[in-house]
Amino acid sequence: MFVVIYGRPGCPFCTRAQALAERLEAAGTLQGQRYVNIWAEGISKADLAERIGKPVHTVPQIFVDQRHVGGFTEFDQFVREHGLLAPSQSA
């Protein structure tokens, strides 16, 4: 499983998503992850909306194996529903 997180500096949910992805990677659940700073890369929310296929109002926007999962809350729920971390390791 590979995770891509689109976020921006100073975003607390982006930081939480990165931390969760790092825990998954440390647990051996992920083959890898990539954090994309949308400001540094010149990616707008409109660009993300085009890729996702619906309006984007917030970051992070997270993809698991190229499938859009949503923001941090949805990513955390995805991890829990799929039992990807032991309960003591969850966010």
Side-chain angles (χ1 to χ4, degrees):
M1 186 167 70
F2 192 86
V3 171
V4 179
I5 301 167
Y6 290 88
R8 64 168 177 73
C11 165
F13 284 102
C14 299
T15 302
R16 290 175 69 187
Q18 274 187 286
L20 180 54
E22 288 169 4
R23 287 196 302 277
L24 289 167
E25 199 166 29
T29 307
L30 292 184
Q31 283 92 28
Q33 63 156 319
R34 180 171 174 236
Y35 180 82
V36 179
N37 178 334
I38 63 171
W39 288 356
E41 298 291 328
I43 299 170
S44 69
K45 289 180 184 173
D47 295 331
L48 284 175
E50 187 174 314
R51 176 155 189 237
I52 293 167
K54 64 180 183 179
V56 171
H57 302 288
T58 62
V59 289
Q61 292 298 316
I62 302 166
F63 292 79
V64 175
D65 291 334
Q66 298 183 17
R67 190 182 110 227
H68 182 247
V69 173
F72 170 75
T73 303
E74 293 81 10
F75 181 44
D76 184 51
Q77 182 178 356
F78 177 89
V79 167
R80 292 172 192 270
E81 286 176 355
H82 290 86
L84 301 176
L85 284 177
S88 63
Q89 294 176 308
S90 294

